Amino acid sequence: FVRRREDLSFGPIFVMFGVFIMACGLTHVMDIWTLWYPDFWLDGWLRLFTAGVSIGTAIMLWRLIPIALSLPSPESLSRANIELKAEITRRKQYEAELRALNSQMKQQIDELESLSYAISHDVRGPLRHIEGFARALADKHPAPPDHPAQRYIERIRASVHHLSDIVEGLLAFSRASRTEMRREHCDMNTLIAEVAEELAPDMDSHVVELKVGALPDVQADPKLLYQVFYNLMANAVKYSRDRAPAVIEVDCIDDSGDDLVFRIRDNGAGFDMQYAGKLFGVFQRLHHSSEFEGTGIGLANVKRIVERHGGRVWATGETNAGASFFVALPRRVRAAVERSADPFTGASDVPALA
C-alpha cells in the first residue's frame, strides 16, 4: 500500500502500524504456544519487540497530532468547494464577456479599416481631377510670375501631392493587414540589393556610403518584407541627406536565438528618445514637414507587417547623432492570425511612403 501510494505524506506511520499489529498477533500466538511448550525466553523477546514498536508508534503519532489538528474539517472542505465552484463560474462569465468584447472590437477594427480603405480608394479620383485642372489652368492661362494666382496654383498642386501621398500611405497601411501572407524563403542580401537599386536615384543626389553585412535568410512574405526594409532604408536616406557623407549600415546583430535581429543604422538627424513611443503610430512624426517630407504612415506600416510575421520592431537614436532601427523576425514560423486578401487589389508590391 505504501509503495503504491507514494503521494501520501504519512507513509512511515502506516509501516509502524503494520509492524505493531503483526507483533501483537505474534504475541498472542506465542501465549498459546507456551501453554504446551514453555519457551519463556522467546516469549519475552517477542514482548520486548512489541513494546518497542508500540512506543515508537506512539512517539510518531504524537508528532502527527498538530498536523492532524490542522487538517480541514469536512464542513470547511465543503464550503471551500462551493466557493471554488462559484469562482470558476465567475471566471467563465468574465472570459465569455472578454471574448464577446474582443469579437466586437475586432469587428469594429475591421469596419474602420474597410472604411479607411474605401475612403482612400475613392478620394484618389477627385485628387487626380484637381491636379489635372490645376495643371491645365497653369498651362493654358499662365499668370505673371509675381501674380498671386501663380502662388495659389502652386499651393493647390503641392497640397494635392501631399494628400495623394497620405492616401497612398493609408492604402498601403490597409493592405498590410488585409493582404494574405505568403511565406517563403527570402534571400535577405538579394532583397536589400533590390531595395538599394530602387533607392538609387535618391542616393545619387548626395554622397551615401551603404554598408551591408552578411544577412541570414528568413521565412517571410517577400513583398511585405520588401516594404519593411524599403521604408526603413528610405528613411535612413532621407534623414541623413544633410550629412557628408551619409553612412547607412544594414546588418544582422543577433542570429543565435529564436529571433533574427536586423539593424538599419544611419548618421542622420536622429530623434529624441523620450518620443520613441510615438515613432510607430499613424500620422506621428518627430520632424516638421518643412525639414523632412513625409506622411507619418510608413513606420506604422512597418510595425504592422513585422507583427504579422510574429516579430517586433523598435528604435534607438539621439538628436543629430543618427538612429538605429531594429527588426526582429522569428527564425521559425510562429502561428499568427491572418486576415483575408484584399478583394479589390490583392497583394501589393508598391512601397508605402515614409
Side-chain angles (χ1 to χ4, degrees):
F1 173 78
V2 174
R3 289 197 303 269
R4 292 183 179 179
R5 292 299 305 274
E6 296 180 355
D7 57 314
L8 295 176
S9 59
F10 308 122
I13 194 63
F14 284 104
V15 175
M16 290 299 291
F17 263 116
V19 175
F20 174 69
I21 293 171
M22 291 293 295
C24 289
L26 290 175
T27 302
H28 295 314
V29 172
M30 193 65 191
D31 289 340
I32 300 173
W33 174 268
T34 54
L35 292 176
W36 288 277
Y37 302 99
D39 195 350
F40 296 106
W41 280 100
L42 180 59
D43 181 60
W45 283 111
L46 184 58
R47 290 178 182 276
L48 179 61
F49 174 74
T50 303
V53 173
S54 176
I55 294 172
T57 304
I59 293 174
M60 294 184 68
L61 281 174
W62 181 263
R63 293 179 178 178
L64 291 176
I65 288 176
I67 300 177
L69 292 176
S70 65
L71 293 175
S73 64
E75 292 78 9
S76 61
L77 287 175
S78 178
R79 289 194 302 269
N81 191 31
I82 293 174
E83 293 176 358
L84 182 59
K85 289 182 178 179
E87 180 65 22
I88 292 174
T89 302
R90 286 195 297 269
R91 293 196 177 188
K92 286 183 177 179
Q93 291 176 350
Y94 294 152
E95 290 177 358
E97 292 175 1
L98 285 176
R99 284 194 293 268
L101 290 174
N102 287 337
S103 177
Q104 182 181 0
M105 184 178 298
K106 182 179 181 299
Q107 182 180 359
Q108 292 175 350
I109 292 174
D110 291 340
E111 291 175 354
L112 287 174
E113 289 184 350
S114 299
L115 178 62
S116 173
Y117 178 84
I119 292 175
S120 300
H121 189 271
D122 294 340
V123 164
R124 287 193 297 182
L127 286 178
R128 285 195 295 267
H129 294 161
I130 295 173
E131 162 65 17
F133 286 125
R135 184 172 61 252
L137 181 62
D139 293 340
K140 295 183 178 180
H141 304 282
D146 296 333
H147 196 276
Q150 183 68 27
R151 295 195 303 271
Y152 296 157
I153 293 176
E154 292 175 356
R155 293 185 63 179
I156 290 173
R157 297 186 65 182
S159 298
V160 168
H161 289 160
H162 181 68
L163 186 55
S164 297
D165 291 343
I166 293 177
V167 169
E168 293 297 333
L170 285 173
L171 288 172
F173 184 70
S174 177
R175 295 188 190 110
S177 60
R178 296 162 60 89
T179 301
E180 181 181 1
M181 285 182 56
R182 303 182 183 276
R183 294 179 184 267
E184 58 184 71
H185 182 83
C186 293
D187 185 336
M188 290 300 298
N189 291 283
T190 301
L191 187 143
I192 296 300
E194 293 174 354
V195 172
E197 183 178 358
E198 182 73 19
L199 293 173
D202 296 328
M203 291 190 291
D204 290 342
S205 61
H206 59 288
V207 180
V208 177
E209 293 182 9
L210 179 60
K211 303 177 181 179
V212 181
L215 305 176
D217 298 343
V218 298
Q219 291 290 328
D221 186 302
K223 293 181 179 180
L224 294 177
L225 200 61
Y226 180 91
Q227 293 185 39
V228 169
F229 284 91
Y230 180 92
N231 276 283
L232 295 177
M233 292 179 63
N235 279 352
V237 172
K238 177 172 63 177
Y239 289 107
S240 63
R241 64 190 178 194
D242 296 332
R243 300 294 188 265
V247 179
I248 300 173
E249 301 177 44
V250 182
D251 55 7
C252 180
I253 62 172
D254 186 5
D255 60 356
S256 59
D258 295 334
D259 291 336
L260 301 172
V261 182
F262 299 91
R263 177 180 63 182
I264 298 89
R265 180 167 61 180
D266 63 73
N267 63 339
F271 61 91
D272 191 337
M273 280 297 293
Q274 67 175 322
Y275 303 112
K278 298 182 178 181
L279 274 175
F280 298 97
V282 180
F283 300 129
Q284 297 290 338
R285 305 196 67 225
L286 304 186
H287 299 274
H288 196 271
S289 58
S290 61
E291 297 177 303
F292 300 98
E293 69 282 357
T295 61
I297 301 176
L299 290 180
N301 197 31
V302 166
K303 183 174 185 291
R304 176 164 291 192
I305 293 174
V306 172
E307 289 180 347
R308 286 192 66 192
H309 282 81
R312 54 196 178 94
V313 60
W314 70 97
T316 60
E318 183 179 350
T319 304
N320 295 323
S324 297
F325 284 81
F326 303 89
V327 177
L329 295 173
R331 185 183 298 273
R332 298 178 181 85
V333 177
R334 294 172 183 160
V337 178
E338 300 297 345
R339 297 175 183 263
S340 59
D342 190 297
F344 298 102
T345 60
S348 170
D349 57 356
V350 179
L353 298 174

